[in-house]
Amino acid sequence: QKEVEQDPGPLSVPEGAIVSLNCTYSNSAFQYFMWYRQYSRKGPELLMYTYSSGNKEDGRFTAQVDKSSKYISLFIRDSQPSDSATYLCAMSGVIGGGADGLTFGKGTHLIIQP
Amino acid sequence: SAVISQKPSRDICQRGTSLTIQCQVDSQVTMMFWYRQQPGQSLTLIATANQGSEATYESGFVIDKFPISRPNLTFSTLTVSNMSPEDSSIYLCSVGGSQEQYFGPGTRLTVT
């Protein structure tokens, strides 16, 4: 079993729909959870990060973490064609400073149909 | 967030040769990371590079194959040595910490 599982898709939805992207993980040591967006032939771009369980909202994006279920989600409201990209979840296990490399899911390829 | 550049952006190399990838950051950073993104696979951490100390490699990656230099707080290099077609991948550097990491644009390597 991989540490982080993410459905690769593709996930195709019409413009304006609410998109739900998800990851599950197995390592309970993970404390920080991130979502990246990656356009073709570009580096990953950090969208949001959250610490421990709970919700965090930034514009059209909401990140949700449920540590009891080892499940994280990213919701995109009012989806736009420009949101079409690969979305990567990532997580790390260091608390209170220091630095740790990230463990990634494989990414979900999202297509927003105009 | 930091602005990160990588050179080269892409290269095609013959098996058995080596390629050095450069990563430049526009501000001083303590930690730099090198990742590999193979087709259909997760981004995978190769090593962590602290300025002034030896890089720390993840399981499955060794210094002889992926030597790393970190001469100052804004620059690092990753060398892919004695390349084989299995090394064809995108190589990315990143900076930051456990909460926020920012990535360069990547180097797309093809080994023939």
Side-chain angles (χ1 to χ4, degrees), chain A residues 13-59:
Chain A
V13 300
E15 182 176 356
I18 297 175
V19 175
S20 173
L21 303 167
N22 310 293
C23 289
T24 59
Y25 63 95
S26 58
N27 189 344
S28 59
F30 289 134
Q31 298 290 339
Y32 291 105
F33 305 90
M34 287 133 272
W35 286 96
Y36 286 84
R37 177 174 63 195
Q38 186 173 26
Y39 292 112
S40 180
R41 299 184 180 273
K42 301 288 186 183
E45 171 195 5
L46 180 63
L47 284 176
M48 298 183 70
Y49 68 91
T50 57
Y51 169 66
S52 199
S53 287
N55 292 357
K56 184 176 182 179
E57 188 174 321
D58 184 0

Side-chain angles (χ1 to χ4, degrees), chain B residues 73-96:
Chain B
L73 290 172
T74 64
F75 187 79
S76 179
T77 67
L78 170 76
T79 298
V80 186
S81 302
N82 188 24
M83 288 184 284
S84 67
E86 291 71 35
D87 295 319
S88 296
S89 185
I90 300 172
Y91 292 85
L92 300 119
C93 66
S94 75
V95 302

Side-chain angles (χ1 to χ4, degrees), chain A residues 11 13 17-22 35 71-76 108 110:
Chain A
L11 174 63
V13 300
I18 297 175
V19 175
S20 173
L21 303 167
N22 310 293
W35 286 96
Y71 188 88
I72 69 171
S73 301
L74 178 70
F75 299 96
I76 307 175
T108 298
L110 174 66

Side-chain angles (χ1 to χ4, degrees), chain A residues 96-108:
Chain A
D100 193 11
L102 305 181
T103 301
F104 281 84
K106 285 188 176 182
T108 298

Side-chain angles (χ1 to χ4, degrees), chain B residues 11-106:
Chain B
D11 208 340
I12 300 173
C13 301
Q14 291 191 344
R15 69 173 67 206
T17 63
S18 298
L19 176 72
T20 296
I21 302 168
Q22 299 177 8
C23 179
Q24 180 76 52
V25 189
D26 70 341
S27 58
Q28 294 185 340
V29 294
T30 305
M31 306 291 288
M32 295 181 78
F33 304 86
W34 287 97
Y35 290 82
R36 181 172 71 180
Q37 189 173 31
Q38 293 181 306
Q41 301 300 315
S42 310
L43 261 162
T44 301
L45 179 67
I46 297 171
T48 302
N50 258 336
Q51 194 269 335
S53 62
E54 295 289 324
T56 302
Y57 290 82
E58 296 298 300
S59 175
F61 298 96
V62 295
I63 187 171
D64 289 347
K65 176 67 175 177
F66 298 101
I68 288 172
S69 77
R70 182 78 202 275
N72 57 52
L73 290 172
T74 64
F75 187 79
S76 179
T77 67
L78 170 76
T79 298
V80 186
S81 302
N82 188 24
M83 288 184 284
S84 67
E86 291 71 35
D87 295 319
S88 296
S89 185
I90 300 172
Y91 292 85
L92 300 119
C93 66
S94 75
V95 302
S98 53
Q99 300 181 53
E100 301 174 67
Q101 282 190 24
Y102 300 93
F103 284 81

Side-chain angles (χ1 to χ4, degrees), chain A residues 4 7 22 90:
Chain A
V4 181
D7 187 338
N22 310 293

